[in-house]
Amino acid sequence: ADDQRFDVVYARFLFTHLPDPAKALGNITERLDPGGVLVVEHIDCSGHFCYQPSPAFARYVDWYVKTARARGCDPNIGPRLPGLLRDAGLGDIAMNVVQPAGFSGEVKGIAPITMEMVADAVVAADVASSEEVDQTIDELYTFANTEGTVQSLPRIVQTWGRRAS
């Protein structure tokens, strides 16, 4: 129902995909009860890193950002969140940043898997050819499986604010 109100709203990885995240946040804020809390988590690809330097990883991050922007998305929206919540009328705004990274294990496989998932979009946006994408995927898997390398996920900015009572 249009008159539903909420004490808490939690949104994760949503606003990067919206053409007008400020409008969406405003609409959500209107649905919060007085004193209600909005919690938002979002990515910041500008903080994505690896070690040792990897040209394939650098290409992957660059292509992901360019493709997202070509589709009207903001892959670096995370640091904008506190200001967006403030502009939506929330107060008591706070934030935290987390960033999973790995020296071994599953987190190192996220980059090649993500590149596989966005490959068609990268090619459709004329960011890279399918051959370049396939080669980069192979290099990302090799890098992920190389002993001693480190890969991170994008930074995740956690932000929350409260509607005035």
Side-chain angles (χ1 to χ4, degrees):
D2 285 343
D3 60 348
Q4 269 191 305
R5 311 291 293 179
F6 302 95
D7 294 326
V8 176
V9 174
Y10 173 73
R12 186 170 197 239
F13 305 152
L14 168 67
F15 298 103
T16 188
H17 302 287
L18 302 179
D20 192 350
K23 181 178 178 183
L25 282 164
N27 290 337
I28 291 170
T29 299
E30 289 176 9
R31 295 294 186 95
L32 281 174
D33 280 329
V37 175
L38 173 59
V39 180
V40 180
E41 287 189 300
H42 244 303
I43 61 172
D44 173 19
C45 284
S46 71
H48 221 328
F49 70 89
C50 70
Y51 179 82
Q52 305 272 339
S54 165
F57 189 84
R59 280 192 308 274
Y60 153 68
V61 173
D62 180 58
W63 293 349
Y64 183 93
V65 168
K66 286 178 178 172
T67 302
R69 287 187 176 143
R71 294 177 144 221
C73 300
D74 182 356
N76 300 319
I77 195 170
R80 292 179 45 211
L81 292 174
L84 288 167
L85 268 60
R86 179 203 59 219
D87 293 347
L90 298 174
D92 297 329
I93 296 168
M95 66 185 291
N96 187 46
V97 176
V98 295
Q99 186 163 25
F103 185 67
S104 62
E106 293 178 352
V107 72
K108 288 178 67 175
I110 298 296
I113 290 169
T114 301
M115 187 75 250
E116 287 176 328
M117 298 285 89
V118 301
D120 291 342
V122 169
V123 172
D126 289 326
V127 171
S129 71
S130 59
E131 294 79 17
E132 290 171 314
V133 170
D134 290 344
Q135 178 64 36
T136 298
I137 291 168
D138 290 344
E139 290 175 27
L140 286 169
Y141 274 114
T142 298
F143 184 82
N145 293 318
T146 299
E147 185 70 30
T149 60
V150 172
Q151 283 192 35
S152 79
L153 299 183
R155 281 188 289 238
I156 301 168
V157 178
Q158 303 167 326
T159 308
W160 56 95
R162 182 177 305 279
R163 184 168 182 184
S165 299

